[in-house]
Amino acid sequence: MESTDGSSERELGHLSKQVRLIAVQEDDERIAYLTRERFIPYDRATRVLDELEKLYRREDAVRAQGRLFIGPSLAGKSSILHRFVQSHRADDNVDGEAAIVPVLMVQYPEVGREGIYSAICHALNHRPPVSASLARLRAECLDLLKAVGVRVLLIDEFHNVLRGNTEEQRIGLTTIKYVMNALGRPIVVAGTSEAYNAVNKDPQMLSRLKPIYLNRFQEQDEDYLSLLSGFELSLPLRKPSHLIDGEVSSEIYRLTEGLVGHIADLMSELGTLAIQTGEECITLDLVRESSWVPMADKDQVANAN
């Protein structure tokens, strides 16, 4: 297949095979592709996914072990968890009594008076009565988890547990422990450093949730360069950008402060500019001339105006 400017898939060796098919399409289609959410593989993410896979394959245990996944906002925690869910997709199981959901991901509620039970019920399309007691919520939640065969439960935004008062925090931690004990399956809770502070309130829980840290990248470390290499393969540009070259990678780092979410947003914008200008690659000048700023900074600028 040949593009409008004569480029062919064979000339796009700097891209993955899948992205080569996108790179030969019209500009509008390539720009639309850049705006879609997609997982960019890189070394650190691969290591975390391997760790989660080991949990998935463990046998049931009386004292199941889990993980505490900690990192700042935009460090890539949620995207890794979503990728793990995608690798173990739910099955409608039309011939069975219930769907099969090997990996369930929920978000800890901002107001969690009943801990995690309601969030799990809602994620599995069950709406318990508003007046249901905590004991009933717990029973229905566990019945659902067993019925759909959950092997790993992922709980994102777990730092929300600290939004509650002391009693609500205690209930929140207790619900996690109770579900893990009753299922005999691993639970992975993820959040900011506050999530560690929450778990640290219960030494027994802390002993069963081994921390995995996902900090912002350091400039020029191998994981950072691995991520840039992943973007090089995934941006549907017809010329190589050499993102890991010293000056280019340093300028990208300066703008994004080593946060995966910021890097992804910047790459989408720069990729779009490269297509619109006909440059077809991300150059040092393109990075330096970009007007991109992190979303939080954009909000500050808007408020100032």
Side-chain angles (χ1 to χ4, degrees), residues 144-189:
L144 283 168
L145 289 172
K146 292 174 182 177
V148 300
V150 168
R151 293 187 59 80
V152 177
L153 174 63
L154 308 175
I155 304 173
D156 203 5
E157 304 294 328
F158 188 63
H159 46 267
N160 284 343
V161 71
L162 291 179
R163 289 176 178 265
N165 58 37
T166 301
E167 177 61 14
E168 289 167 348
Q169 291 178 32
R170 185 192 66 78
I171 291 173
L173 292 172
T174 299
T175 60
I176 303 300
K177 188 163 41 178
Y178 193 96
V179 171
M180 192 184 297
N181 287 340
L183 283 183
R185 299 301 310 164
I187 289 180
V188 177
V189 300

Side-chain angles (χ1 to χ4, degrees), residues 67 73 83 91 111 132 137 156 170 178 180 187 208 232-233 236 257:
R67 295 293 182 269
S73 297
R83 181 66 171 183
D91 183 344
V111 180
L137 276 175
D156 203 5
R170 185 192 66 78
Y178 193 96
M180 192 184 297
I187 289 180
R208 297 176 63 180
E232 182 88 33
L233 290 167
E257 299 180 333

Side-chain angles (χ1 to χ4, degrees), residues 105-287:
M105 182 171 175
V106 300
Q107 181 171 308
Y108 196 90
E110 291 189 7
V111 180
R113 295 185 181 89
E114 307 89 9
I116 199 64
Y117 297 139
S118 291
I120 292 173
C121 288
H122 290 174
L124 294 173
N125 298 316
H126 174 66
R127 298 293 183 268
V130 176
S131 59
S133 66
L134 189 60
R136 177 173 175 179
L137 276 175
R138 179 175 62 207
E140 292 186 3
C141 171
L142 291 173
D143 286 346
L144 283 168
L145 289 172
K146 292 174 182 177
V148 300
V150 168
R151 293 187 59 80
V152 177
L153 174 63
L154 308 175
I155 304 173
D156 203 5
E157 304 294 328
F158 188 63
H159 46 267
N160 284 343
V161 71
L162 291 179
R163 289 176 178 265
N165 58 37
T166 301
E167 177 61 14
E168 289 167 348
Q169 291 178 32
R170 185 192 66 78
I171 291 173
L173 292 172
T174 299
T175 60
I176 303 300
K177 188 163 41 178
Y178 193 96
V179 171
M180 192 184 297
N181 287 340
L183 283 183
R185 299 301 310 164
I187 289 180
V188 177
V189 300
T192 63
S193 59
E194 292 178 321
Y196 178 86
N197 296 337
V199 174
N200 196 39
K201 292 175 179 288
D202 186 333
Q204 188 181 48
M205 272 197 70
L206 188 60
S207 70
R208 297 176 63 180
L209 296 174
K210 173 186 172 184
I212 299 176
Y213 295 97
L214 198 71
N215 299 317
R216 69 178 69 218
F217 292 111
Q218 296 299 309
E219 186 175 355
Q220 301 302 323
D221 71 14
E222 291 184 4
D223 285 326
Y224 172 60
L225 297 179
S226 171
L227 177 64
L228 294 185
S229 296
F231 275 106
E232 182 88 33
L233 290 167
S234 69
L235 298 172
L237 303 177
R238 293 167 184 162
K239 297 178 183 177
S241 297
H242 305 295
L243 295 176
I244 65 172
D245 282 1
E247 286 189 289
V248 177
S249 63
S250 292
E251 191 66 14
I252 291 171
Y253 188 89
R254 182 186 68 79
L255 289 171
T256 63
E257 299 180 333
L259 290 169
V260 174
H262 286 340
I263 295 169
D265 289 344
L266 177 62
M267 290 297 100
S268 179
E269 180 161 319
L270 293 178
T272 298
L273 285 173
I275 292 171
Q276 291 173 336
T277 61
E279 193 77 39
E280 289 298 340
C281 63
I282 294 174
T283 63
L284 180 60
D285 287 341
L286 197 66
V287 180

